[in-house]
Amino acid sequence: MIIDAAHGPFGLLCDGVENARPLPAQAWHSLQDLMPGAGYLAAGTVADEGLIVLCDVDAWLSHKDMCDLEVALERRLAEVAL
């Protein structure tokens, strides 16, 4: 999964994705409106499976976190190249 954050795009490795389907923009509700101080939780909706919550990756990952991820990726790519 590729995520486009303010600090730059990054990827999350997933074993699989199930039941992926589009949800209309009007289905999402700001969690800041419902729960002020929700932190990195940005929006939520209710689907057949239950509550779905989206994280605000820009609030979740700091610039240092993004730099650390970049260093880890560079190390891993160097290992694979050997």
Side-chain angles (χ1 to χ4, degrees), residues 27-40:
W28 296 99
H29 305 282
S30 168
L31 292 182
Q32 293 299 324
D33 294 343
L34 298 173
M35 302 176 345
Y40 63 84

Side-chain angles (χ1 to χ4, degrees), residues 24-81:
Q26 62 269 23
W28 296 99
H29 305 282
S30 168
L31 292 182
Q32 293 299 324
D33 294 343
L34 298 173
M35 302 176 345
Y40 63 84
L41 301 178
T45 190
V46 177
D48 294 337
E49 301 82 17
L51 179 65
I52 301 172
V53 178
L54 296 178
C55 295
D56 177 354
V57 292
D58 296 320
W60 178 43
L61 294 174
S62 69
H63 181 69
K64 182 186 179 316
D65 292 332
M66 292 299 294
C67 291
D68 290 346
L69 285 171
E70 190 172 319
V71 168
L73 177 60
E74 289 172 1
R75 287 182 186 160
R76 179 65 180 139
L77 291 174
E79 290 172 5
V80 171

